[in-house]
Structures are given as C-alpha cells and as structure tokens.
Amino acid sequence: MVLRKTSSIILGFLFMALSWMTTLAQTTAEPWTDSELKPTKELADQINASGKKKPLIINVGPQAVIPGSLDAGPGSEKDNIKKLEKILSAQDKNREVVIYCGCCPFAKCPNVRPAFKVVKEQGFTQARLLNIPKNIKTDWIDKNYPVQ
Amino acid sequence: MRNIKLFIGLAGLLFLLNQERSLAQKPIEVGGLAPEIELSTPGGKMVSLSSLRGNLVLIDFWASWCAPCVQEQPELKKLYAKYHRPSQTGVNLDIYAVSLDSKKDAWERAIKKLDLPWTQVSDLKFWTSPVAKTYQLEGIPFNLLVDQKGYIIALNLHGEQLDQFLSKRVGK
C-alpha cells in the first residue's frame, strides 16, 4: 500500500517535471521574444516619416525589398553571416536594428534564426525581427508598404 | 440637345466603369484562362506559357531558397518521366517552372543539382515579381494544371493527388 502511494507520488512528480520542461522548451524555442517582433506597420511608418531617426534595416533573405535596407543575403549561409557581422560591427549598440527575410513563414525560414542570434550576441539593445508571418509579398508588398 | 449631352455623359461614365472592371484582377480559379507568362530562361531566351499550348501544362512556382519546393522536385521528375511523352499520340505533360529566385547563380545551381529537364523561367525578382501578383500567390510551392487550350483545370495538387489527377487526364 505504502509502496503504491510512494510510486504514485513519484509518478506525479515526474509528470509535473515533464510538463514544466515542455513549457520551457516551447518558450525558449525561438531566439527572439514576442516584444522583439517588429510590427510591419511600425517599420513602414518609420520609413515614410521624414527626418525621424531611422532604424538600421538589414535583409537576411533572398532579396533586399525594403527601401534603405542593407543586403547581407540569406542568413543560412556562413559567408552572409560574416557579412552581417561586418555590417553590425560599425554600428552603435543602442541603435534599433531590424532584420527581415520574408521568403516564407518563420517555421520554414532557414535565415532568420542564425541572423537574429548574431544581432543578439553582438549586444544590440534594440534587436528586432520584422514580423512577417507569411511572406514579404502578402505581409508587406500587398499592403502597399514601400518597396525599393 | 440636353438629352444628347446627358447620353454622351452616361455613355462615357459606363465606358470608364467598364475599363476599371477590366483592369481589376481576375481570380485565379479552375475554369479560368491561365494568364500569359513570358519570362527568360537561364540562357536568356524568352519563353511564353502559351508556347506550350496543345500540352497539359503544370505551372510550378518554386525557388531555390524554398526548401519544400526543392524537396518536391524529385517527385515532379518521376511524374514527368511517367507522363511526358511528346512523340506519342494523345495527351502529353509538360512543365513550365517559374522561379521566384532573386540570384541567377543560386537558381542555375539548383536546376543543375536537381537535374531538371523541363522549361525554367524567372525574372529574378523574388516576391516583387509581377507574375506573383498576377497569379495571386500567397506562398510557394504552388502549382496549376492547365489544359491543352490554356484553361486552368486544377490548383495546387501535390504528391499522390497530382499523380492520380494526371493519370486520369493522360492515361497510363
């Protein structure tokens, strides 16, 4: 009887630990937090506003579509990550840095994770990932946001 | 006189409204005519979709940077081997692959690596390509099957479903 009680307590603890670990895995799966996701409209407004201090915008996908953005190239390639590091090395760490890809939904994108990690590792206090849930066509171009 | 002016005014208004409607995008749907595409091959030759009329044409929207698109290519090769038979009488399958690549070398490398034998075209404009707008693409991979007269007969069929559809259309 005592044995059964003990084993059910152990099992209970195991279950709790497992569910806690799963939640932890879910929350730590991405290198960015929700607050680091930059709404597209916010960036479009910043680009359209005259005179305002603009963020540093860097393309880490197949093509630099957003006006004024620097082109590091797809973040899945090592050479492009080096290019990104070089672009970032000359920047003020407190400047807002927005990276974007837009090839495909985040779940399928091979570029945003390695690139965002670099921005964070370099200690930028305002590292942002442009929130493009689908792709740059439906979430940016089709909304008539500026294109270069 | 006043009636004539009114009539001309109304006719003009109707004309303008009609113009506007014809400029508006037609939906991409089964039964509709597939809008014309004319883009360049890697070798720089312009090839139009309509030049493949008379065949059953699979328009495949893909890109070398799109992992699921690249993964699908070996399957398409199997289907092409099965249903592309231009020397025989009856229906023949052809593929018109439109790439949303932006860099020519990446596009060419992928075609070579995958060893794709069918027509490859692109304007190298990524998601800003006017074709992506015309075909109202929401994501890739995306494909359409077009009949011998250029009408859309199926949208976005993949794998087993695409094979079954083709086998009915082309026969075994």
Side-chain angles (χ1 to χ4, degrees):
Chain A
M1 190 67 186
V2 177
L3 194 71
R4 195 182 269 182
K5 221 174 182 180
T6 326
S7 61
S8 68
I9 288 170
I10 292 171
L11 266 175
F13 265 116
L14 271 175
F15 180 74
M16 271 169 67
L18 200 73
S19 61
W20 175 75
M21 274 163 72
T22 327
T23 342
L24 195 75
Q26 274 167 1
T27 47
T28 54
E30 299 295 7
W32 56 81
T33 62
D34 281 352
S35 60
E36 284 170 330
L37 286 174
K38 173 108 175 159
T40 47
K41 192 180 180 302
E42 196 180 295
L43 183 65
D45 287 346
Q46 278 174 310
I47 293 169
N48 289 329
S50 58
K52 239 181 161 183
K53 205 181 167 197
K54 310 255 189 262
L56 174 69
I57 314 166
I58 308 169
N59 164 54
V60 296
Q63 191 182 322
V65 172
I66 299 176
S69 61
L70 300 176
D71 191 6
S76 57
E77 291 167 32
K78 270 184 187 166
D79 285 353
N80 296 333
I81 288 294
K82 275 186 195 151
K83 227 187 271 178
L84 175 66
E85 283 169 346
K86 205 175 168 196
I87 293 171
L88 292 171
S89 65
Q91 295 295 325
D92 173 4
K93 301 277 189 233
N94 291 318
R95 187 176 179 191
E96 184 183 10
V97 176
V98 182
I99 64 158
Y100 72 96
C101 170
C103 72
C104 24
F106 287 145
K108 288 180 185 168
C109 179
N111 302 315
V112 287
R113 285 170 190 84
F116 194 78
K117 272 182 196 158
V118 168
V119 184
K120 290 297 282 184
E121 275 162 16
Q122 293 223 358
F124 282 85
T125 56
Q126 294 186 76
R128 300 282 181 270
L129 169 65
L130 190 61
N131 196 3
I132 300 177
K134 217 165 184 183
N135 59 57
I136 198 125
K137 179 182 174 283
T138 55
D139 300 317
W140 186 271
I141 303 168
D142 288 353
K143 288 183 176 166
N144 291 322
Y145 291 153
V147 168
Q148 69 180 3
Chain B
M1 193 59 190
R2 221 178 135 195
N3 274 348
I4 293 172
K5 269 189 184 165
L6 196 71
F7 176 75
I8 293 171
L10 269 175
L13 195 71
L14 273 175
F15 175 75
L16 279 177
L17 279 174
N18 212 22
Q19 284 281 90
E20 195 138 315
R21 198 191 295 166
S22 66
L23 282 175
Q25 271 198 322
K26 281 179 194 157
I28 296 295
E29 57 192 7
V30 170
L33 199 62
E36 175 66 309
I37 307 171
E38 189 173 16
L39 293 175
S40 174
T41 64
K45 191 181 155 202
M46 296 298 281
V47 177
S48 66
L49 172 65
S50 60
S51 69
L52 298 177
R53 283 267 166 91
N55 300 296
L56 191 67
V57 181
L58 179 80
I59 309 173
D60 179 35
F61 288 99
W62 77 297
S64 70
W65 46 257
C66 161
C69 306
V70 170
Q71 273 163 22
E72 194 187 20
Q73 298 305 308
E75 270 178 57
L76 292 183
K77 269 175 89 173
K78 277 185 203 156
L79 296 180
Y80 189 76
K82 206 165 157 188
Y83 301 113
H84 177 72
R85 38 194 183 193
S87 54
Q88 290 176 31
T89 51
V91 187
N92 172 52
L93 172 76
D94 226 320
I95 303 181
Y96 186 80
V98 184
S99 164
L100 292 188
D101 269 283
S102 63
K103 291 173 179 89
K104 198 173 178 223
D105 57 339
W107 177 40
E108 282 181 314
R109 245 184 289 135
I111 297 168
K112 205 174 170 191
K113 195 177 167 196
L114 294 159
D115 190 24
L116 305 176
W118 51 81
T119 308
Q120 299 286 343
V121 296
S122 178
D123 55 12
L124 299 170
K125 286 187 177 167
F126 186 47
W127 277 115
T128 61
S129 169
V131 181
K133 196 168 187 173
T134 310
Y135 275 81
Q136 293 149 35
L137 301 186
E138 294 269 300
I140 54 172
F142 182 80
N143 68 40
L144 305 92
L145 260 173
V146 170
D147 73 4
Q148 294 94 316
K149 288 179 179 165
Y151 287 92
I152 300 167
I153 51 170
L155 290 173
N156 222 13
L157 295 181
H158 301 273
E160 192 60 32
Q161 272 188 311
L162 179 59
D163 192 2
Q164 277 172 11
F165 192 93
L166 287 171
S167 115
K168 274 183 207 148
R169 277 278 170 168
V170 187
K172 285 176 187 165

